[in-house]
Amino acid sequence: MSHDTLPRPAKLREPSPPSGRTSRARRPWTRRANPVAGLGSLIWLVVVLVPIYAMLSASLTRQDQLLEGNPLKPPPDPTLDNYNTVLDSGFGHLLANTAIVAAAVVGLVLALSVPLAYVAVRTRNRWSGAAFRLFLLGVAIPAQAVVVPLYLLIAELGLYDTLPAVILPTAAFAMPVSVLVLTGTLRDISEELYEAMALDGASSLRMLFQLVIPLAKGGISTVVIYSALQAWNGFLFPLIFTQSDGPRVLTLGLFNYVSQFGVNVPALLASVVLSGIPIFAVYLVARRALVSGLMGVGGK
């Protein structure tokens, strides 16, 4: 038998995968439609946007035209006179006072809450745990329950009708939540990193500034936004602890458009729009850090 007539070996067939696995492996990944979630998101979007639209529309409407027709209808004759009225009535002074209060509150909260959270995480004894739990009781105490003792204390210290009278209690009531957020963030830092720095001879203060603060930027950003919002939107403490126009802030400035005989609603809403722009811009810049920090993953 010649070489040309030799039988060729049969081609081996690869074993076929079990039925149904091939189609699932080759099927491209697709998202499943969720009409319920889409409908819920649409409803929530409408709930959020309609009041904002109504506020902007009313702020561009003349006062004598405010109650005419449909409130959701665009203003027939838009005007910026309401915004000019707000800017000419001392809005810059109110904005500066509010910015000072917010910056001071943020500085105090960060200067105190970061070391407190660091001690609560790194100190392992029952006294630090008990102090931490006692400190967090402030979350359950409303400001209205202690406003009279605070008033007497501030009057005794000679701080009544000053900006520190607003700054100090606002920072104090922002501290418990801030410490809680930062404690959860610092617990996400690996223990091996602390041990490595300890082997290098690092002190606790060096660990705080070179390890903890750089790795806790998410939680710190959350605390900054939270405390700034508390100071910017605060109304009770400025109302009780201030009286004159000198330390007045934006929330109290809204009373400028309320008289004995009526309310200038368009100017009032224009003031609300202008006062909300700065803090809304801060929120847009750091909203991801805020959400991640509140979810307890800010340190990663």
Side-chain angles (χ1 to χ4, degrees):
M1 182 180 294
S2 63
H3 178 71
D4 295 336
T5 59
L6 290 175
R8 295 181 180 180
K11 186 178 180 179
L12 298 177
R13 297 179 61 185
E14 296 180 358
S16 59
S19 176
R21 185 175 299 178
T22 304
S23 60
R24 287 196 297 268
R26 295 180 180 179
R27 183 181 302 170
W29 182 82
T30 57
R31 289 184 177 180
R32 293 184 178 181
N34 192 341
V36 177
L39 180 61
S41 301
L42 181 61
I43 294 174
W44 178 251
L45 184 64
V46 171
V47 170
V48 171
L49 291 182
V50 168
I52 296 176
Y53 164 76
M55 180 176 63
L56 292 174
S57 177
S59 67
L60 298 173
T61 305
R62 299 183 185 277
Q63 187 174 6
D64 55 354
Q65 299 176 349
L66 182 64
L67 301 179
E68 297 179 358
N70 189 351
L72 297 180
K73 184 179 179 180
D77 186 17
T79 179
L80 295 176
D81 292 342
N82 300 314
Y83 290 92
N84 294 330
T85 301
V86 172
L87 295 176
D88 293 339
S89 61
F91 181 81
H93 175 70
L94 300 175
L95 181 64
N97 283 345
T98 307
I100 292 173
V101 170
V105 168
V106 170
L108 280 175
V109 170
L110 286 181
L112 296 176
S113 60
V114 174
L116 282 172
Y118 175 68
V119 171
V121 172
R122 296 299 299 162
T123 305
R124 307 294 176 86
N125 56 58
R126 62 178 183 176
W127 297 110
S128 63
F132 176 70
R133 289 189 293 270
L134 181 64
F135 187 82
L136 291 184
L137 285 178
V139 178
I141 300 176
Q144 294 83 355
V146 295
V147 67
V148 174
L150 282 176
Y151 175 83
L152 297 176
L153 180 62
I154 288 174
E156 287 292 330
L157 294 175
L159 298 177
Y160 182 75
D161 203 23
T162 62
L163 287 180
V166 180
I167 293 170
L168 295 177
T170 304
F173 276 89
M175 284 285 296
V177 175
S178 301
V179 172
L180 182 63
V181 171
L182 287 173
T183 301
T185 300
L186 298 188
R187 283 173 179 164
D188 291 336
I189 300 177
S190 176
E191 186 70 24
E192 286 76 8
L193 297 177
Y194 290 109
E195 294 176 356
M197 291 199 69
L199 290 176
D200 290 339
S203 61
S204 299
L205 191 63
R206 181 182 170 188
M207 289 185 186
L208 176 64
F209 284 98
Q210 295 186 0
L211 174 65
V212 172
I213 294 179
L215 293 181
K217 290 181 179 179
I220 292 175
S221 300
T222 303
V223 170
V224 168
I225 298 173
Y226 170 76
S227 55
L229 284 172
Q230 293 293 105
W232 197 273
N233 298 325
F235 178 75
L236 180 63
F237 294 144
L239 178 65
I240 302 299
F241 302 145
T242 62
Q243 184 177 6
S244 63
D245 294 335
R248 181 164 291 192
V249 294
L250 284 172
T251 50
L252 290 184
L254 300 178
F255 281 109
N256 293 334
Y257 312 104
V258 180
S259 65
Q260 182 179 358
F261 304 101
V263 180
N264 189 351
V265 176
L268 178 65
L269 294 179
S271 178
V272 172
V273 171
L274 290 177
S275 62
I277 289 176
I279 198 67
F280 183 69
V282 172
Y283 171 75
L284 287 180
V285 171
R287 64 187 185 278
R288 290 189 177 180
L290 175 65
V291 174
S292 63
L294 291 176
M295 292 177 62
V297 295
K300 295 184 179 180

